[in-house]
């Protein structure tokens, strides 16, 4: 994973298709789960991973200057809340969780060009600069509103500090800023029914007047709508992206508050106010996270290179691709472009928006806030390489509708596809080349490769390659993976059709050489087309071939590895997973963490109680109604019960150690 260090900076080039990629900034306050990973960073990684000995990107593999930007979103209420819960400062909390995020993405082999943070000086400078331009251009307004106030804490409560019943769908645990069930954000915190303070649920917030600055999105709507129409058509936005954006525009934009009564955030610049009373009002306010979060892409790039404007103020030469889950769409398709438009400055604005639906876990939903499902820091605990996880997640990327993570199909994807199709083809060919027949040296395959049977095979592969390139250009990543696997399966069928074995080599050596040469070159092509999806596997293939990475061609000639080339030793790429693991892993990760822990504790208590009752019954039989010291059996039973409670404590302590952390 790249950081802001390093001397060689990726910059756009005149006359090239320069690609700027962002994935939605993960909120720092929790551990990302598989739904978060496939929802933004993994899809963007496939499209934009940088070319180096460690990673390979589709766009770089196509010879394009490409920059992939991401980082942790660190300001806002959620951070303050979590810091309060953990008894640390917001800065300490961010430092802790930023490192957790880094380690998880590193394990998943996510190839950011820069992975930064939003709690930086450059973020403050750029956010305040954009605000000043919006303020100067008349796109801000001051409003007095009634906000939730906690009398116990003597402070206004930001949206995430409020919980209650959603006014739209009736969900009882909606937050003041968003309902996790219906996804609604179009309500005020005080619209929640049975509202309560998150920090102290027994306290009911009251309404109190407070002043805040609002962004006049209503004034900007005509220009935003025009931008959306042009960008969505030219950039081929995913259908759900356009639908969600159109819904916002059809309802009609209104001014939205961009400041909050918080301490952890970008402070409002007081130099825009001439009245000292206004300065006094805003001296303890910060910008709302939804206003400054998307600006984080810009500041993270600025921390990467002083020439950041070549990427972000260069619409003529740079195309911006953004990846995210559907709940983040309005912030990227309406609000951030609206802010850019309102500054009246030149900006690189959104070109292509790739949005995912939700990835569900078995029969429930992943939830970062409620700890449901497999989390990034626990995926590695089952002992499988990250490429197996990447393959299954990308194969089930929820591009057009919600998809399910199911252990049965996870195992099947490894055994029946990665192992049986891709791994089998590559291992079979390379072991054949390693054998005494060729002694690891590619034979002269040129005699027959232009004849009809072999030309037909090359035509078939080129048809699949053309489809693969079309899939990738349209950001149809799930289809691209399917097409890549179809190439591997075409290789298996090619071997079968020519009865690829020792007998063929002895009876028809020229034919065997042609099959071997084309198959080996197909393996090189597979290393390239699978590289964005399975980077570690691709590196292993190239190591076994002892060949450099092949830039993905428009037309495959099947002769990049020449006769006489010496390959390395064949190695297995994948291992079979015992189907019995399905139940073990389902039990290990199923349900919510809180429910799992509660269930395990209840079962432990039942076992202890049963053991105590059994011992009590035994003591009654042996003691004839009285204990050794004249005490009743019932009293002894109470002592046994106490011993049982101690046993329960020991058991539940063990459970707590193996249960996934709720954060």
């Amino acid at each position: 994973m790249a950081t802001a260090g390093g001397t060689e900076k990726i910059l756009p080039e005149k006359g090239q298709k320069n690609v700027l990629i962002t994935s939605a900034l993960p909120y720092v306050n929790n551990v990302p789960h598989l739904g978060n990973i496939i929802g933004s960073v993994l899809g963007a990684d496939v499209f934009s991973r940088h070319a180096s000995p460690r990673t390979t990107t589709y766009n770089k593999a196509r010879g394009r200057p490409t920059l992939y930007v991401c980082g942790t979103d660190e300001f806002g209420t959620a951070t303050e809340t979590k810091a309060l819960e953990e008894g640390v400062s917001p800065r300490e909390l961010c430092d802790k969780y930023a490192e957790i995020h880094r380690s998880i993405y590193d394990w998943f082999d996510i190839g950011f060009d820069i992975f930064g943070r939003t709690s930086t000086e450059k973020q403050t400078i750029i956010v305040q600069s954009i605000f000043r331009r919006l303020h100067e251009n008349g796109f801000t307004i001051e409003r007095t509103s009634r906000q939730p106030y906690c009398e116990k804490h003597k402070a206004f409560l930001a949206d995430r500090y409020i919980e209650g019943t959603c006014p739209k769908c009736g969900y009882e645990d909606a937050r003041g800023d968003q309902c996790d069930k219906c996804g609604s954000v179009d309500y005020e915190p005080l619209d929640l029914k049975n509202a309560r303070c998150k920090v102290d649920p027994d306290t009911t917030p009251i309404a109190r007047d407070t002043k805040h600055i609002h962004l006049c999105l209503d004034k900007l709507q005509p220009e935003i709508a025009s931008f959306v129409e042009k960008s969505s058509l030219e950039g081929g936005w995913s259908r759900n992206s356009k639908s969600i954006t159109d819904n916002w525009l059809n309802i009609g934009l209104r001014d939205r508050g961009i400041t909050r009564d918080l301490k952890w955030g970008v402070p409002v610049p007081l130099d825009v106010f001439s009245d000292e009373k206004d300065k006094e009002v805003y001296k303890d306010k910060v910008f709302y996270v939804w206003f400054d979060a998307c600006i984080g892409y810009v500041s993270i790039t600025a921390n990467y290179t002083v020439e950041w404007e070549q990427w972000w103020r260069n619409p003529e030469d740079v195309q911006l691709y953004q990846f995210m889950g559907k709940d983040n769409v309005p912030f990227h398709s309406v609000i951030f472009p609206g802010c850019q438009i309102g500054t009246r400055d030149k900006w690189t604005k959104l070109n292509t928006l790739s949005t995912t639906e939700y990835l569900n876990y078995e029969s429930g939903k992943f939830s970062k806030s409620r700890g449901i499902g497999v989390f990034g820091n626990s995926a590695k605990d089952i002992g499988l390489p990250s490429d197996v996880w990447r393959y299954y997640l990308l194969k089930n990327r929820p591009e057009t509708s919600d998809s399910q993570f199911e252990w049965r199909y996870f195992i099947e994807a490894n055994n029946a596809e990665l192992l049986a199709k891709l791994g089998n083809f590559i291992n079979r060919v390379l072991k054949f080349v390693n054998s005494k027949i060729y002694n690891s040296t590619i034979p002269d395959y040129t005699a027959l490769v232009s004849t009809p049977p072999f030309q037909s095979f090359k035509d078939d592969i080129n048809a699949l390659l053309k489809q693969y390139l079309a899939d990738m250009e349209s950001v149809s990543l799930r289809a691209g993976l399917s097409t890549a696997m179809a190439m591997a399966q075409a290789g298996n069928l090619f071997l079968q059709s020519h009865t690829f074995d020792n007998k063929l080599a002895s009876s028809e050596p020229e034919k065997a050489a042609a099959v071997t040469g084309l198959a080996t070159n197909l393996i090189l092509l597979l290393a390239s087309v699978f590289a964005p999806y399975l980077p570690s596997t691709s590196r292993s293939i190239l190591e076994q071939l002892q060949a450099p990475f092949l830039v993905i061609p428009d037309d495959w000639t099947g002769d990049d590895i020449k006769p006489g080339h010496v390959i390395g030793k064949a190695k297995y790429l994948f291992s079979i997973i015992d189907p019995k693991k399905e139940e073990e892993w389902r039990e290990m990760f199923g349900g919510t963490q809180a429910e799992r822990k509660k269930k395990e504790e209840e079962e432990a208590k039942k076992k202890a109680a049963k053991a105590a009752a059994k011992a009590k019954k035994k003591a009654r039989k042996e003691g004839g109604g009285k204990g050794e010291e004249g005490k009743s059996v019932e009293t002894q039973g109470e002592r046994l019960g106490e011993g049982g409670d101690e046993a329960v404590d020991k058991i539940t302590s063990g459970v707590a150690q193996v249960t996934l952390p709720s954060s």
Side-chain angles (χ1 to χ4, degrees):
M1 180 188 296
T3 62
T7 55
E8 292 186 20
K9 304 301 181 184
I10 303 168
L11 294 173
E13 299 173 14
K14 279 283 185 184
Q16 295 288 322
K17 180 179 179 179
N18 300 288
V19 181
L20 176 60
I21 314 283
T22 72
S23 55
L25 304 182
Y27 207 81
V28 74
N29 74 315
N30 220 322
V31 178
H33 55 68
L34 298 184
N36 303 135
I37 291 167
I38 189 58
S40 57
V41 297
L42 187 51
D45 181 49
V46 169
F47 196 65
S48 67
R49 299 179 62 233
H50 63 84
S52 75
R54 187 175 166 279
T55 53
T56 306
T57 142
Y58 169 69
N59 275 289
K60 282 294 181 67
R62 295 286 285 162
R64 298 167 181 165
T66 303
L67 186 72
Y68 178 17
V69 178
C70 192
T72 43
D73 180 9
E74 301 191 354
F75 284 136
T77 311
T79 298
E80 281 196 356
T81 306
K82 190 73 172 178
L84 193 62
E85 290 173 0
E86 296 196 9
V88 296
S89 69
R91 170 57 66 194
E92 290 171 329
L93 185 96
C94 290
D95 290 345
K96 169 187 171 181
Y97 280 99
E99 189 53 42
I100 290 173
H101 278 268
R102 284 179 183 277
S103 65
I104 290 172
Y105 302 137
D106 220 20
W107 187 81
F108 274 96
D109 218 344
I110 306 296
F112 306 112
D113 290 310
I114 171 64
F115 186 83
R117 303 172 64 174
T118 60
S119 58
T120 66
E121 183 181 359
K122 281 191 169 58
Q123 174 77 352
T124 297
I125 292 169
I126 295 173
V127 168
Q128 290 182 342
S129 172
I130 289 174
F131 166 72
R132 285 190 182 94
R133 295 290 289 149
L134 290 167
H135 187 71
E136 291 166 3
N137 294 332
F139 292 116
T140 63
I141 189 171
E142 187 180 69
R143 292 197 183 280
T144 299
S145 61
R146 294 181 68 74
Q147 295 288 330
Y149 185 84
C150 181
E151 293 182 299
K152 182 174 181 178
H153 301 103
K154 305 299 180 187
F156 285 100
L157 296 175
D159 296 355
R160 280 178 175 256
Y161 280 107
I162 306 293
E163 291 183 340
T165 302
C166 175
K168 305 290 185 179
C169 72
Y171 180 55
E172 294 182 353
D173 290 319
R175 301 192 307 269
D177 64 336
Q178 183 172 330
C179 175
D180 281 342
K181 185 173 182 181
C182 70
S184 178
V185 296
D186 195 27
Y187 59 77
E188 296 297 329
L190 289 173
D191 292 339
L192 293 175
K193 300 172 185 176
N194 304 314
R196 57 189 180 274
C197 174
K198 180 179 176 66
V199 181
D200 187 353
D202 293 329
T203 302
T204 300
I206 63 170
R208 182 170 289 187
D209 287 345
T210 182
K211 279 187 177 181
H212 282 292
I213 297 169
H214 284 225
L215 176 64
C216 300
L217 290 170
D218 48 343
K219 287 185 179 180
L220 289 162
Q221 174 153 354
E223 292 175 83
I224 293 173
S226 178
F227 155 77
V228 168
E229 193 61 34
K230 183 175 185 292
S231 178
S232 62
L233 183 63
E234 293 179 353
W237 291 13
S238 58
R239 186 175 60 183
N240 48 7
S241 302
K242 186 65 163 56
S243 175
I244 293 168
T245 303
D246 285 346
N247 186 52
W248 266 55
L249 294 174
N250 291 337
I251 291 173
L253 302 182
R254 56 186 174 84
D255 59 87
R256 294 175 65 93
I258 60 172
T259 59
R260 282 294 181 267
D261 295 289
L262 293 172
K263 299 193 182 302
W264 182 244
V266 174
V268 176
L270 301 181
D271 56 12
V272 301
F273 305 108
S274 56
D275 193 320
E276 290 300 320
K277 290 181 180 178
D278 288 332
K279 292 182 180 181
E280 183 65 25
V281 167
Y282 288 100
K283 67 181 178 65
D284 293 323
K285 297 182 191 289
V286 300
F287 287 111
Y288 195 6
V289 68
W290 69 255
F291 174 73
D292 85 84
C294 288
I295 301 172
Y297 302 127
V298 183
S299 73
I300 290 170
T301 308
N303 277 303
Y304 168 72
T305 173
V306 294
E307 298 179 89
W308 62 270
E309 291 187 346
Q310 288 194 39
W311 283 110
W312 283 102
R313 294 190 183 274
N314 189 4
E316 297 85 6
D317 296 322
V318 176
Q319 291 186 345
L320 173 60
Y321 290 74
Q322 298 195 285
F323 291 76
M324 69 207 64
K326 63 182 180 182
D327 51 341
N328 274 314
V329 168
F331 306 108
H332 294 76
S333 66
V334 175
I335 295 172
F336 184 43
C339 291
Q340 292 176 307
I341 292 168
T343 64
R344 299 308 189 213
D345 297 323
K346 185 168 73 170
W347 286 99
T348 301
K349 293 191 283 292
L350 172 64
N351 180 73
T352 297
L353 187 55
S354 179
T355 302
T356 58
E357 300 289 323
Y358 292 130
L359 175 71
N360 297 319
Y361 177 78
E362 294 280 341
S363 58
K365 277 191 173 184
F366 285 91
S367 172
K368 184 164 58 179
S369 59
R370 289 167 175 80
I372 300 173
V374 182
F375 283 68
N377 59 343
S378 58
K380 61 184 177 182
D381 293 344
I382 67 173
L384 294 176
S386 61
D387 273 6
V388 175
W389 288 95
R390 287 174 64 106
Y391 178 76
Y392 180 77
L393 291 172
L394 289 160
K395 172 183 166 65
N396 292 280
R397 186 174 185 252
E399 294 177 351
T400 56
S401 62
D402 290 357
S403 62
Q404 284 268 93
F405 179 96
E406 296 186 65
W407 287 108
R408 171 188 171 188
Y409 297 113
F410 175 81
I411 294 171
E412 186 178 289
N414 178 83
N415 293 350
E417 297 172 26
L418 288 176
L419 180 62
K421 293 180 181 178
L422 180 61
N424 175 69
F425 170 66
I426 293 171
N427 193 256
R428 183 179 176 186
V429 173
L430 298 188
K431 276 192 170 182
F432 194 75
V433 178
N434 282 155
S435 72
K436 292 180 180 179
I437 298 170
Y438 296 127
N439 292 315
S440 300
T441 303
I442 303 300
D444 185 353
Y445 55 82
T446 58
L448 297 178
V449 290
S450 297
T451 59
F454 297 102
Q455 186 59 49
S456 176
F457 173 66
K458 287 194 285 185
D459 291 343
D460 290 343
I461 295 300
N462 272 303
L464 289 170
L465 178 60
K466 183 178 180 180
Q467 181 60 53
Y468 171 85
L469 295 175
D471 293 336
M472 298 300 282
E473 290 298 318
S474 63
V475 201
S476 301
L477 305 183
R478 191 173 62 193
L481 181 57
S482 177
T483 305
M485 188 58 76
M487 290 187 203
Q489 184 61 2
N492 283 310
L493 296 175
F494 176 63
L495 299 184
Q496 292 172 21
S497 68
H498 292 287
T499 318
F500 186 64
D501 56 17
N502 292 355
K503 184 178 178 181
L504 180 67
S506 60
S507 62
E508 299 181 76
E510 287 188 338
K511 183 177 180 181
V515 174
T516 301
L518 278 181
T520 305
N521 273 285
L522 176 58
I523 291 171
L524 181 62
L525 179 64
L526 291 174
S528 296
V529 296
F530 273 103
Y533 297 96
L534 310 175
S536 179
T537 300
S538 175
R539 291 192 291 270
S540 179
I541 295 170
L542 294 175
E543 179 185 321
Q544 293 176 53
L545 288 172
Q546 291 191 356
F549 180 82
L550 173 68
V551 174
I552 300 174
D554 291 317
D555 183 68
W556 180 65
T557 57
D559 61 356
D560 295 284
I561 294 179
K562 306 298 182 184
H565 175 81
V566 178
I567 70 166
K569 186 177 180 180
K571 299 175 184 177
Y572 292 112
L573 294 170
F574 308 100
S575 301
I576 194 165
I577 299 174
D578 186 345
K580 293 178 182 177
K581 288 289 185 179
E582 177 186 345
E583 288 304 322
E584 178 186 327
W585 291 338
R586 181 178 291 114
E587 181 67 24
M588 182 178 178
F589 295 106
T592 68
Q593 295 172 36
E595 287 172 349
R596 285 198 303 274
K597 185 174 180 180
K598 183 179 179 182
K599 182 179 178 181
E600 289 163 349
E601 288 174 346
E602 288 174 349
E603 288 177 353
K605 287 180 180 178
K606 285 179 182 178
K607 287 180 181 178
K610 188 175 181 180
K614 187 176 181 180
K616 181 177 179 180
K617 185 176 181 181
K618 182 180 178 181
R620 186 180 289 113
K621 284 182 179 180
E622 293 175 351
K626 291 287 180 180
E628 293 176 346
E629 300 176 0
K631 294 184 178 180
S632 67
V633 174
E634 285 76 9
T635 305
Q636 292 180 20
E638 288 171 8
R639 289 212 311 273
L640 289 168
E642 291 164 6
D645 288 340
E646 183 179 353
V648 170
D649 290 340
K650 290 180 180 178
I651 293 170
T652 55
S653 176
V655 168
Q657 292 175 38
V658 299
T659 301
L660 295 176
S662 60
S663 61

